[in-house]
Amino acid sequence: MTDEHVETYAQDFRSYCIGGLLALVLTGLAFGLVIFEILPHFERLLALAVLAIAQIIVHFRYFLHIGWHSHRDDLQLVLFTSLILFLMVGGTIWILFNLHERMM
Amino acid sequence: MKRQPVLHPGLNLGSADEYSHAQSEPVIFGFWVFLMADLVLFAILFATYASMSVQGQAGGPSPTDVFDLPSAFIETMLLLSSSITFGMASLALKYKADRLHLVFWLVLTFCLGAGFIAMEVRDFWIMTQQGAVPQRSGFLSAFYMLVATHGIHVTAGLCWMIVMLVQLWLLGRTTEVKLRLMRLALFWHMLDIVWVCIFTFVYLFGVAL
């Protein structure tokens, strides 16, 4: 760390610009997929989910500056929260849709 | 000058203000823990919505009937650009010695955020005029609950922004004010991340299904 140059305005400015540009492109693609009805049904939903996850990663990386170099365990906290979210959301959806099918 | 270690999420003040940077770690880490807990709250609302939007329509309007995609697109653009302008405010906080740049970007962010809320209230108003009120079906209850919770968060962020503008005016760029603005930046960017999930899994999935 100590041998690196001090961060500059240009570097930090570039981070927000890259992030903003990527987010705009990913948002445009997501809306484009639905408005112009590109791809078959299932593939379209899958592509939307992938675009959303990509955009979330872009926001974390370029706007919140989460990376491997952080001093604290910020990244681990995000990943652990993601695990909890995955279990709770996935579990809820699984159980409720299963129950729904059995009640039909 | 040597590079300061990265202490917390968001833009670090680093060598631009070494004293404030040294003070920043505990308060911002604590706020980060709160944000992670807030994400868990949103996740549960998303899980409820995911099952309700399919199973809970109760013969009422479906997502395709009530969602207005162009309006959702404009809201997305407003919130995304407000995230970028807040980034510019963070840069002004770190690198520009004067208050003018910072206040300009904060006011611009406020206007974009207020525009987002205005569009959202307009959407809700049009939906209720069509009979799509929260008590109509489980889908609509879950929809209003999820999207309005996000909207209330954004409104809280706007109030926070006004408070920070007043503090900037009265106190100037003190360490406390800087650290509060950095926490507001994290809050604002996190709300944009939640909105990415809302426009994808609520609006776009609703119409694509």
Side-chain angles (χ1 to χ4, degrees):
Chain A
M1 276 292 183
T2 46
D3 57 345
E4 280 183 59
H5 293 293
V6 71
E7 70 276 22
T8 61
Y9 179 82
Q11 278 173 358
D12 286 335
F13 180 70
R14 197 162 55 227
S15 167
Y16 284 105
C17 289
I18 294 171
L21 206 65
L22 285 174
L24 278 175
V25 170
L26 292 167
T27 306
L29 282 175
F31 275 90
L33 275 180
V34 174
I35 290 170
F36 302 111
E37 300 191 345
I38 303 161
L39 294 177
H41 189 73
F42 177 74
E43 282 80 356
R44 199 188 308 160
L45 295 184
L46 198 68
L48 284 176
V50 170
L51 285 172
I53 292 168
Q55 182 157 185
I56 289 169
I57 294 171
V58 165
H59 280 241
F60 271 116
R61 171 70 185 80
Y62 293 104
F63 292 159
L64 290 162
H65 309 278
I66 301 287
W68 302 105
H69 51 266
S70 192
H71 170 72
R72 282 253 199 184
D73 302 330
D74 304 318
L75 181 65
Q76 281 89 326
L77 202 52
V78 172
L79 293 176
F80 181 69
T81 308
S82 311
L83 175 70
I84 300 288
L85 301 191
F86 177 73
L87 290 177
M88 290 196 310
V89 175
T92 306
I93 291 172
W94 182 11
I95 290 169
L96 283 178
F97 274 83
N98 190 281
L99 194 65
H100 183 64
E101 250 165 54
R102 286 163 193 272
M103 301 266 284
M104 290 304 272
Chain B
M1 266 199 304
K2 78 177 173 59
R3 189 191 175 98
Q4 298 292 313
V6 177
L7 293 182
H8 56 77
L11 192 64
N12 280 230
L13 287 173
S15 39
D17 180 353
E18 290 185 13
Y19 175 74
S20 300
H21 184 61
Q23 306 291 312
S24 66
E25 192 176 359
V27 286
I28 294 186
F29 182 73
F31 192 71
W32 187 248
V33 175
F34 156 72
L35 285 176
M36 295 296 109
D38 214 26
L39 283 185
V40 174
L41 164 78
F42 277 110
I44 288 302
L45 294 178
F46 271 107
T48 312
Y49 177 81
S51 48
M52 279 298 184
S53 63
V54 179
Q55 305 160 12
Q57 293 182 7
S62 69
T64 329
D65 300 330
V66 289
F67 289 166
D68 181 7
L69 268 197
S71 174
F73 183 70
I74 295 169
E75 285 161 24
T76 305
M77 286 299 137
L78 283 173
L79 206 59
L80 179 58
S81 38
S82 83
S83 224
I84 298 169
T85 56
F86 209 122
M88 296 300 122
S90 300
L91 287 174
L93 178 72
K94 181 173 178 179
Y95 291 106
K96 308 273 190 220
D98 63 309
R99 255 183 282 181
L100 196 68
H101 279 90
L102 178 55
V103 169
F104 169 76
W105 288 114
L106 279 181
V107 169
L108 191 59
T109 308
F110 180 88
C111 294
L112 291 166
F116 170 83
I117 290 294
M119 287 290 293
E120 192 161 73
V121 170
R122 179 184 154 275
D123 271 6
F124 284 178
W125 175 250
I126 291 172
M127 280 177 71
T128 51
Q129 292 306 99
Q130 294 169 343
V133 286
Q135 59 269 36
R136 178 64 191 81
S137 65
F139 149 58
L140 287 166
S141 307
F143 168 80
Y144 282 105
M145 184 70 196
L146 170 60
V147 179
T149 303
H150 176 268
I152 290 167
H153 273 76
V154 175
T155 312
L158 291 176
C159 296
W160 189 353
M161 234 173 265
I162 293 173
V163 172
M164 289 324 298
L165 283 167
V166 173
Q167 289 194 358
L168 266 176
W169 176 46
L170 293 177
L171 305 174
R173 293 155 47 97
T174 62
T175 294
E176 286 77 16
V177 170
K178 281 185 179 181
L179 296 185
R180 285 169 196 155
L181 275 168
M182 283 154 72
R183 275 170 279 177
L184 176 56
L186 293 183
F187 186 68
W188 199 256
H189 291 312
M190 197 62 82
L191 287 180
D192 203 12
I193 291 177
V194 175
W195 181 258
V196 169
C197 294
I198 291 183
F199 86 68
T200 304
F201 296 113
V202 175
Y203 287 97
L204 293 179
F205 264 52
V207 173
L209 277 171

